[in-house]
Amino acid sequence: MISDPAPPGAVPPPEGSPGTLGWQGIRDVMMDRIRARHYAPGALIPNEADLAAEFGCARATVNRALRELAEAGFLDRRRKAGTRVIAEPRRKATLEIPLIRAAIEDLGAAYSFRLLTREIAPPPPEVRAALRLEDDVPLLHVVTLHLADAVPHMVEDRWVVLATVPAIEAADLTRDNPNEWLVRNAPYSEGTMRCGAALAGAMASHLGCTAREAVLVVERATWLDGAPITLARQHYAPAYGLTLAL
Amino acid sequence: MISDPAPPGAVPPPEGSPGTLGWQGIRDVMMDRIRARHYAPGALIPNEADLAAEFGCARATVNRALRELAEAGFLDRRRKAGTRVIAEPRRKATLEIPLIRAAIEDLGAAYSFRLLTREIAPPPPEVRAALRLEDDVPLLHVVTLHLADAVPHMVEDRWVVLATVPAIEAADLTRDNPNEWLVRNAPYSEGTMRCGAALAGAMASHLGCTAREAVLVVERATWLDGAPITLARQHYAPAYGLTLAL
């Protein structure tokens, strides 16, 4: 249920001496007890020392198991108040964000792209607002069409803050597309992402659909330690959706 | 950059004796080195013993730091081949899935709902396919309209597998809506989620919009240890989007 953070073949977790179950086994037993309401929603569970005695393992092993269940949203751990079962868990879904090239190749299609626009221009107000820019210093504006088996897959309208990423001015973005160049050269430390729907509108001609079709729109803004990097608005071809793991 | 899995006030990580930096500090130094290409994309990084000597800490502390960076998609750890910098990191975005009631209250609005449909009916083929059902044994079919400040926010069309969750047949779903009842009574162990766009179509009358407006559609299917629980298709009111954390 909870993904094991140790990838296959990784160094085994160093914590504690293995009990009969190991931390994964203890995690699973504890999860079963939460599900079965052996530990009721909102109730305190036994402390780590008591659980370690019950499972015949090191306290660190119990700690590791409980940390997983806390990260997954089932337990609330407080230093003094103890550990409670969260009555209304907030589950999480995870979206992998590969390179656009890789996303299209993952679909089994051949990837290509066309750089439609490259200009340096003052950002429109909504771009300034999304990146929290205080002035209208010109940014790099690039529009890229990404194709799967030569069919339009997504059009990306992107603004890049040159003050944060000056090297992109000299980049050949017809060779490395802006998405790949940024992933390789300008890692972000924080960001926001929004998935919504819109009519294709002005993007219809790029996407090869009609203006009245509904398309998925993904907007992503990123920063590096507080410095704005880029805002990208992606319109996907009709019927395309993003898949998340639960 | 990488979320600290130890919540504030949690029991401190038990691994190793703390060095001058702690595992978070070592993680941050290693991240800076990856960003600065001190460790080049694709290159091997020093082994744990050497890093522990460099940082003056226990090997377990280095292990904890590297595990975080591997989970975040920056390092690829192999038991025998060593640890490499991932050349093209796949970043992740995370979506919190609160109760619908909580999501609406988080918007600062008053929550209410109306149960529009409750019936036991054979599942249509696309529902059978999504839940990987082998027969057309009737399921519970519920349609619920969720409102924010009495304005339609989302309509949820849901099928529940009674063989997995028999107790829902006796539930009063006008008191606890199906979403809340299932979160409280039928936790899932795995699932899939897809975000896409569609025209409002037949949902327009529920959502108070026209059939030709674009709306976000979220489809979620869940299982408990392989047993299908439910398929929910949610149509959101126009202009509403889901926000993920990067």
Side-chain angles (χ1 to χ4, degrees):
Chain A
M1 120 160 275
I2 293 149
S3 67
D4 181 345
V11 179
E15 305 90 332
S17 55
T20 41
L21 283 174
W23 71 265
Q24 296 95 333
I26 293 171
R27 173 199 66 195
D28 293 345
V29 170
M30 295 299 286
M31 188 68 238
D32 286 345
R33 290 180 181 179
I34 293 168
R35 275 193 203 143
R37 303 198 163 204
H38 173 79
Y39 304 131
L44 278 173
I45 66 167
N47 66 38
E48 287 184 11
D50 289 349
L51 288 170
E54 181 195 345
F55 290 112
C57 68
R59 210 175 129 167
T61 311
V62 170
N63 182 288
R64 181 81 179 81
L66 299 186
R67 197 169 70 207
E68 285 280 314
L69 292 171
E71 280 175 43
F74 291 101
L75 292 176
D76 181 27
R77 306 170 83 200
R78 306 269 170 111
R79 188 189 292 269
K80 286 182 182 166
T83 297
R84 284 184 186 278
V85 178
I86 290 181
E88 295 185 354
R90 295 199 162 207
R91 300 298 297 265
K92 284 181 184 166
T94 310
L95 175 69
E96 274 221 338
I97 310 176
L99 289 180
I100 296 159
R101 173 191 300 276
I104 287 174
E105 289 173 350
D106 285 352
L107 297 171
Y111 173 76
S112 59
F113 74 94
R114 288 210 298 272
L115 194 65
L116 303 179
T117 300
R118 176 181 181 147
E119 61 175 356
I120 292 187
E126 73 276 12
V127 173
R128 282 178 59 179
L131 287 170
R132 298 176 224 131
L133 300 174
E134 279 158 19
D135 52 43
D136 60 355
V137 170
L139 309 183
L140 176 66
H141 178 218
V142 280
V143 180
T144 314
L145 177 65
H146 302 269
L147 303 102
D149 284 339
V151 174
H153 176 76
M154 184 264 280
V155 60
E156 182 186 76
D157 188 296
R158 185 187 282 277
W159 294 80
V160 183
V161 182
L162 293 166
T164 309
V165 198
I168 199 169
E169 262 204 275
D172 178 358
L173 299 176
T174 61
R175 199 192 58 186
D176 287 343
N177 72 50
N179 170 251
E180 295 189 11
W181 193 94
L182 285 162
V183 166
R184 291 182 182 143
N185 295 278
Y188 58 83
S189 56
E190 63 269 357
T192 59
M193 177 166 171
R194 185 178 184 278
C195 297
L199 297 179
M203 296 294 165
S205 60
H206 299 314
L207 293 173
C209 64
T210 72
R212 297 185 160 204
E213 283 179 82
V215 300
L216 179 67
V217 181
V218 176
E219 189 171 295
R220 211 154 66 204
T222 55
W223 287 262
L224 177 60
D225 299 331
I229 300 173
T230 187
L231 174 73
R233 202 180 291 120
Q234 304 176 328
H235 285 71
Y236 286 83
Y240 185 77
L242 287 177
T243 300
L244 291 80
L246 288 180
Chain B
M1 123 160 276
I2 294 149
S3 67
D4 181 343
V11 179
E15 304 91 332
S17 56
T20 42
L21 283 173
W23 70 266
Q24 296 96 333
I26 292 170
R27 172 198 66 197
D28 293 346
V29 169
M30 295 299 287
M31 188 68 237
D32 286 345
R33 290 179 181 178
I34 294 168
R35 274 193 204 144
R37 303 195 163 207
H38 174 79
Y39 304 132
L44 278 173
I45 66 167
N47 66 38
E48 286 185 12
D50 289 349
L51 288 169
E54 182 196 344
F55 289 113
C57 69
R59 209 175 130 167
T61 312
V62 169
N63 182 288
R64 181 82 179 80
L66 299 187
R67 196 170 69 208
E68 284 279 315
L69 291 171
E71 280 175 44
F74 291 101
L75 293 177
D76 180 26
R77 307 171 82 200
R78 306 269 171 113
R79 187 190 293 268
K80 287 182 182 165
T83 297
R84 286 184 186 277
V85 178
I86 290 181
E88 295 185 352
R90 298 202 160 202
R91 300 297 297 266
K92 284 182 183 165
T94 310
L95 175 70
E96 274 222 336
I97 310 175
L99 289 179
I100 295 160
R101 173 191 298 278
I104 287 175
E105 289 174 349
D106 286 352
L107 297 171
Y111 173 77
S112 59
F113 75 93
R114 289 211 296 273
L115 194 65
L116 304 179
T117 300
R118 176 181 182 146
E119 61 176 356
I120 292 185
E126 72 275 12
V127 172
R128 281 179 60 179
L131 287 169
R132 297 177 224 133
L133 299 175
E134 279 156 23
D135 52 44
D136 59 354
V137 170
L139 309 183
L140 176 66
H141 178 218
V142 280
V143 181
T144 314
L145 177 65
H146 302 269
L147 304 103
D149 284 339
V151 174
H153 176 76
M154 184 264 279
V155 61
E156 182 185 77
D157 188 296
R158 184 187 285 276
W159 294 80
V160 183
V161 181
L162 292 166
T164 310
V165 198
I168 198 168
E169 261 204 276
D172 177 359
L173 299 176
T174 62
R175 199 192 59 184
D176 288 342
N177 71 53
N179 169 251
E180 297 189 12
W181 192 93
L182 285 162
V183 166
R184 291 183 182 139
N185 296 278
Y188 58 84
S189 55
E190 63 270 358
T192 60
M193 177 167 169
R194 184 178 186 276
C195 297
L199 297 178
M203 295 293 165
S205 60
H206 299 313
L207 293 173
C209 64
T210 71
R212 298 183 158 206
E213 283 180 84
V215 299
L216 179 68
V217 181
V218 175
E219 190 171 297
R220 210 154 66 206
T222 55
W223 287 261
L224 178 61
D225 299 332
I229 300 173
T230 187
L231 173 74
R233 200 180 292 121
Q234 304 176 329
H235 284 71
Y236 285 84
Y240 184 76
L242 287 177
T243 300
L244 291 79
L246 288 179

